[in-house]
Amino acid sequence: MRYIFLLPILLIGCASPEATSPAPEWAIAIHGGAGVISKDLPDSVRLDYEASLTAALEAGKSMLMEGKPSLDVVEAVVRILEEDPRFNAGRGAVYTADGVHELDAAIMDGRDLSCGAVAGITTVRNPISLARKVMEDTPHVFMIGAGAEKFADQAGVERVPNSFFDTEHRRRALDSAKRRELEKVTASLESRYGTVGAVALDKAGNLAAATSTGGMTNKRFGRVGDVPVIGAGTYANNATAAISATGTGEEFIRHVVAHQISAQMEYGGKTLIQAAENVIFHKLKPGDGGIISVSKTGEIAMIFNSEGMFRGAADSKGRFEVAIWE
């Protein structure tokens, strides 16, 4: 099953749109996770998700219109999504097998490949902001667990008790996962995974990417997925594109998905769409998930091989869209 979502801007014009249509001054794409998202979703639930995506996208659009740096924009947008209990990141993080929440996040600056990531944190309200602190205030890229929490003590980020992340629908998901485990039934992708992310190109021509997640329902033994692994779930390079991934983290790590898309553009001469399609449809398995991406020229791609992906995109040429399915 193949689903591709391309902004209509890519189709404007004649045989060579890029020759007749100027590139956008700025562009942004966001996601709230990919997986088995039933089209039987009640209208009220669908509208709630669309409203959440719209609010986050509006915030990013406004910042980019004002000339804010892409790095600030993607952090701010991901913070909004982290505060929304509908998504598996921050406030809406899923439960581990031990009944607690462990959060991961990463952010990357396309100007110089600066990046920061955290994994297995339990008391930071907005993990994406701690990831940025790692990038800007330390010589390191990746901090995990107790070390990341210790750094958070001195980083000035807001702290909360782990119970802050408790939500009833995630508790029900954990109970359901445990029952399936006892019955040796495989959980659906929807109940296992989830992520939020944002990618942006600003007026100065700089790219940035940010991704945050609560991980995998019922996960064990310190499992970490692709989100905080630079090049797997998060990547940005001004020479190519900014990419944020969502789906089966283990597969995105194995195939270094975000960096592979960038590399196919840089070394293989592919367009963003060509590179993303090649990786999502020919490297990953059907149902593994998808990516959002913005290229250095403002091209936007939101491509997935799962049933759906919560997503949205906007640019300076007037595009503003949110969607869930094909």
Side-chain angles (χ1 to χ4, degrees):
M1 185 180 297
R2 290 165 53 116
Y3 295 92
I4 307 176
F5 182 86
L6 306 182
L7 289 181
I9 187 174
L10 302 180
L11 305 178
I12 294 174
C14 24
S16 300
E18 67 280 0
T20 59
S21 181
E25 277 192 312
W26 56 263
I28 182 173
I30 67 174
H31 72 75
V36 181
I37 306 170
S38 172
K39 291 186 178 181
D40 294 329
L41 207 63
D43 284 345
S44 60
V45 176
R46 174 183 59 79
L47 290 171
D48 283 346
Y49 274 107
E50 290 177 350
S52 292
L53 291 168
T54 298
L57 190 58
E58 284 280 11
K61 171 187 172 181
S62 296
M63 292 181 71
L64 287 166
M65 289 177 66
E66 293 169 7
K68 300 292 186 184
S70 56
L71 194 65
D72 292 347
V73 173
V74 296
E75 180 189 9
V77 170
V78 167
R79 282 177 63 101
I80 291 170
L81 295 170
E82 286 177 337
E83 292 291 328
D84 193 322
R86 292 181 182 85
F87 302 109
N88 176 18
R91 184 72 179 86
V94 298
Y95 288 85
T96 69
D98 293 330
V100 298
H101 310 277
E102 295 177 354
L103 294 77
D104 311 330
I107 192 166
M108 189 162 185
D109 188 339
R111 292 176 297 181
D112 59 3
L113 305 187
S114 293
C115 48
V118 293
I121 58 174
T122 59
T123 66
V124 175
R125 180 166 182 160
N126 295 109
I128 196 64
S129 293
L130 184 61
R132 184 167 180 179
K133 292 283 188 181
V134 171
M135 178 180 73
E136 295 182 337
D137 297 346
T138 81
H140 310 305
V141 167
F142 202 167
M143 289 186 174
I144 64 170
E149 298 281 344
K150 187 172 182 180
F151 174 62
D153 289 339
Q154 63 189 49
V157 297
E158 183 175 358
R159 310 293 289 283
V160 293
N162 194 252
S163 59
F164 171 83
F165 305 110
D166 291 353
T167 53
E168 183 56 34
H169 70 289
R170 298 300 188 195
R171 172 61 70 179
R172 290 196 299 270
L174 175 64
D175 292 342
S176 177
K178 287 183 176 293
R179 285 195 300 273
R180 283 192 297 267
E181 185 178 58
L182 289 173
E183 296 165 2
K184 296 186 178 180
V185 176
T186 301
S188 70
L189 182 64
E190 180 181 36
S191 67
R192 290 186 289 152
Y193 300 102
T195 314
V196 302
V199 293
L201 171 73
D202 62 28
K203 288 184 177 181
N206 294 315
L207 292 163
T211 319
S212 182
T213 186
M216 174 183 175
T217 299
N218 202 32
K219 69 177 181 178
R220 300 176 182 274
F221 314 127
R223 180 262 184 188
V224 175
D226 65 306
V227 166
V229 179
I230 301 300
T234 308
Y235 193 73
N237 185 338
N238 274 10
T240 54
I243 302 119
S244 176
T246 173
T248 309
E250 285 73 10
E251 293 302 315
F252 282 79
I253 293 171
R254 290 184 181 108
H255 296 283
V256 203
V257 164
H259 183 265
Q260 185 171 169
I261 291 170
S262 173
Q264 289 191 16
M265 294 174 68
E266 185 171 9
Y267 306 124
K270 287 183 168 62
T271 66
L272 170 60
I273 301 302
Q274 290 170 340
E277 286 183 354
N278 185 49
V279 174
I280 298 302
F281 298 131
H282 300 292
K283 303 296 183 181
L284 298 177
K285 300 188 297 293
D288 276 345
I291 61 95
I292 57 169
S293 183
V294 175
S295 77
K296 65 180 182 179
T297 58
E299 181 182 27
I300 296 175
M302 298 188 287
I303 299 178
F304 53 101
N305 65 18
S306 51
E307 184 171 330
M309 182 169 73
F310 296 106
R311 64 197 188 276
D315 68 21
S316 61
K317 302 187 76 172
R319 288 297 160 191
F320 190 98
E321 304 185 29
V322 296
I324 301 174
W325 299 284
E326 59 185 287

